[in-house]
């Protein structure tokens, strides 16, 4: 990415963009989808997914399970959709029993879309998208399935075509390990068909503008971030070299090791059931006499360690350990050692080395040989 800017209409950039649009489909595990690389954040990608497929007043079922699903619902409401909110306690996954009830009673197909966050970063909860698709198929319901995969895609198992996801999105700054600035969207043929009749106002996020320039072979309706495109090319190459399934397995190891450390410390996971445990972020509950914000502040001020704050309903109650992207097992162990020292600093009676030992014992038995070095 450390390069001068260049003309995005030169032959080099459209040629690279063409390969990026094809290769980025692989991270969604899609062959049928159409991809868009929009100079934006995940929030812009949310807006693009909604405004290109839906019209004002359309009924959406949306799950409120944490801060990021809350923000997406706020956007849906401000865009004048009729949002049917299904709320769960923070630390629980989406209530799919309520979804089934709504689908079963919607013989008139008034529900136009199901919106769900695959991995809720605020609470460390991962939802089972295959179950959502099962319910849609069970009731032969034509609603679109829109998925926020910001903190899941490229790190957790995600199968766009197999699970019948209609729009999936992620951001460059999460598992791809790039700076913020590209909203990456994959749209199914059904979603593209829906976009032809969408009446939502859109300009910057309009897929039609992109598709027009795809046909022209120039690909960009306006100026992209050239440096980020080169970064995306390098990030995809690194992912494919490791192998996407190997990347997902690595994140599974990191998530399991972190949870074992938390258990060894005598603390609890904010996520209430094992079926919802996230392999990209762990939200750790602290005792009531400790302000988790102080843990995060001390981590940065004394140990140069970045931990995540508790947000909204869990502010002061949890701190978050992120374990996604360009991260290996030894880096994680360093983080866990730092957390132990911080817990000791704030008066929690942790035995130094306990969490690191639990994580190390698991990892030592589960880290495979590096394929390229065998």
């Amino acid at each position: 990415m450390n390069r001068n800017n260049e003309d995005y209409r030169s032959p080099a950039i459209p040629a690279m963009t063409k390969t990026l649009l094809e290769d980025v489909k692989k991270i969604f595990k899609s062959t049928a989808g159409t991809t868009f690389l929009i100079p934006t954040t995940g929030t812009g990608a949310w807006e693009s997914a909604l405004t290109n497929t839906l019209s004002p007043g359309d009924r959406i079922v949306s799950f409120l399970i944490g801060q990021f699903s809350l923000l997406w619902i706020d956007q849906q409401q401000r865009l004048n959709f009729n949002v049917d909110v299904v709320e769960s306690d923070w630390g629980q996954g989406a209530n799919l029993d309520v979804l089934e009830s709504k689908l079963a009673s919607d013989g008139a197909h008034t529900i136009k879309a199901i919106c769900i966050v695959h991995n809720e970063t605020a609470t460390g909860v991962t939802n089972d998208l295959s179950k959502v698709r099962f319910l849609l198929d069970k009731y032969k319901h034509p609603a679109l399935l829109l998925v926020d995969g910001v903190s899941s895609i490229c790190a957790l198992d995600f199968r766009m075509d197999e699970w019948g996801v209609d729009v999936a999105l992620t951001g460059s700054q999460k598992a791809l390990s790039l700076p913020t600035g590209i909203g990456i969207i994959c749209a199914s043929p059904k979603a593209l068909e829906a976009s032809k009749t969408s009446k939502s106002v859109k300009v910057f996020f309009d897929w039609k503008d992109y598709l027009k320039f795809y046909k022209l072979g120039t690909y960009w309706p306006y100026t992209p971030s050239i440096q980020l495109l080169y970064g995306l090319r390098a990030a995809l190459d690194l992912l494919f070299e490791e192998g996407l399934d190997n990347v997902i397995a690595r994140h599974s190891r990191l998530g399991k090791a972190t949870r074992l450390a938390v258990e060894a410390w005598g603390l609890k996971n904010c996520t209430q059931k094992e079926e919802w445990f996230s392999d990209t972020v762990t939200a750790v509950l602290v005792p009531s006499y400790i302000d988790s914000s102080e843990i995060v502040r001390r981590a940065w001020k004394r140990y140069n360690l970045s931990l995540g704050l508790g947000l909204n309903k869990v502010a002061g109650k949890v701190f978050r350990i992120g374990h996604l992207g360009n991260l290996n097992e030894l880096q994680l162990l360093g983080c866990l050692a730092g957390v132990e020292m911080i817990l000791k600093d704030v008066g929690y009676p942790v035995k130094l080395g306990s969490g690191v030992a639990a994580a190390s014992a698991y990892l030592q038995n589960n880290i495979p040989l590096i394929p390229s070095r065998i």
Side-chain angles (χ1 to χ4, degrees):
M1 291 179 61
N2 185 18
R3 58 177 66 231
N4 292 328
N5 210 3
E6 59 185 280
D7 178 11
Y8 72 98
R9 299 294 187 204
S10 73
I13 300 305
M16 178 172 64
T17 302
K18 183 179 180 180
T19 66
L20 287 173
L21 291 170
E22 282 302 310
D23 281 352
V24 84
K25 285 199 284 189
K26 298 172 186 175
I27 69 175
F28 296 93
K29 292 194 175 175
S30 175
T31 56
T34 298
T35 47
F36 303 94
L37 305 174
I38 302 178
T40 187
T41 64
T43 305
W46 282 346
E47 187 166 331
S48 179
L50 294 167
T51 57
N52 279 281
T53 58
L54 300 164
S55 300
D58 279 353
R59 182 184 175 196
I60 302 171
V61 174
S62 201
F63 298 93
L64 173 50
I65 60 171
Q67 178 66 9
F68 294 92
S69 52
L70 172 67
L71 291 173
W72 198 14
I73 287 167
D74 175 63
Q75 186 189 79
Q76 292 159 17
Q77 292 169 335
R78 289 160 71 180
L79 288 168
N80 296 317
F81 300 116
N82 175 16
V83 188
D84 189 346
V85 179
V86 179
E87 187 168 2
S88 301
D89 289 341
W90 289 32
Q92 295 182 359
N95 191 329
L96 300 186
D97 291 337
V98 172
L99 174 63
E100 179 166 19
S101 174
K102 290 180 183 296
L103 292 174
S105 62
D106 188 33
H109 296 160
T110 62
I111 299 170
K112 301 304 179 186
I114 310 297
C115 294
I116 187 166
V117 173
H118 187 200
N119 188 81
E120 174 52 71
T121 321
T123 56
V125 165
T126 300
N127 286 305
D128 188 339
L129 300 179
S130 66
K131 289 183 179 178
V132 180
R133 171 44 57 195
F134 171 80
L135 292 174
L136 285 166
D137 290 348
K138 178 179 178 180
Y139 293 98
K140 297 181 173 59
H141 202 290
L144 295 165
L145 177 54
L146 276 53
V147 175
D148 169 344
V150 171
S151 60
S152 67
I153 289 166
C154 287
L156 306 183
D157 188 23
F158 190 89
R159 311 176 196 180
M160 180 157 180
D161 290 358
E162 183 179 331
W163 294 340
V165 175
D166 291 300
V167 186
L169 60 95
T170 190
S172 54
Q173 76 278 14
K174 294 295 184 181
L176 283 163
S177 302
L178 290 167
T180 306
I182 307 180
I184 302 168
I185 297 166
C186 193
S188 72
K190 182 179 172 182
L192 287 184
E193 192 62 30
S195 72
K196 295 176 182 176
T197 54
S198 162
K199 294 180 175 59
S200 294
V201 174
K202 50 199 169 288
V203 179
F204 185 78
F205 297 119
D206 198 334
W207 293 351
K208 293 185 182 70
D209 292 344
Y210 274 85
L211 294 171
K212 180 173 71 175
F213 281 86
Y214 288 1
K215 287 181 180 178
L216 292 172
T218 51
Y219 293 99
W220 294 101
Y222 35 71
T223 311
S225 169
I226 301 298
Q227 289 81 3
L228 274 172
L229 295 181
Y230 279 107
L232 178 59
R233 179 68 271 162
L236 291 172
D237 291 343
L238 287 168
L239 282 167
F240 299 153
E241 180 183 358
E242 184 177 355
L244 187 56
D245 289 339
N246 293 331
V247 171
I248 292 166
R250 170 166 56 81
H251 282 87
S252 177
R253 290 193 298 275
L254 297 175
K256 176 70 172 177
T258 304
R259 293 189 292 273
L260 286 170
V262 172
E263 185 180 335
W265 297 331
L267 296 174
K268 290 185 178 179
N269 198 316
C270 179
T271 309
Q272 294 178 17
K273 288 185 181 179
E274 186 175 351
E275 66 186 89
W276 296 319
F277 284 162
S278 169
D279 287 333
T280 62
V281 60
T282 299
V284 185
L285 287 166
V286 298
S288 58
Y289 63 87
I290 293 174
D291 179 0
S292 66
S293 301
E294 179 57 28
I295 291 173
V296 176
R297 281 193 294 270
R298 186 169 287 266
W300 181 78
K301 288 165 69 174
R302 187 173 188 192
Y303 299 103
N304 197 30
L305 174 63
S306 273
L307 299 173
L309 288 163
L311 302 171
N312 200 315
K313 285 188 178 182
V314 292
K317 299 176 182 178
V318 310
F319 68 93
R320 294 175 295 140
I321 302 171
H323 33 84
L324 83 165
N326 186 19
L327 179 76
N328 67 31
E329 292 84 353
L330 298 185
Q331 289 172 305
L332 176 67
L333 290 173
C335 169
L336 297 176
V339 171
E340 290 182 354
M341 291 189 286
I342 298 157
L343 289 172
K344 198 85 169 175
D345 286 350
V346 299
Y348 180 74
V350 66
K351 180 182 177 183
L352 291 178
S354 57
V356 173
S360 297
Y362 166 76
L363 291 171
Q364 192 268 328
N365 286 313
N366 287 279
I367 298 175
L369 291 171
I370 300 169
S372 63
R373 299 178 189 177
I374 297 173

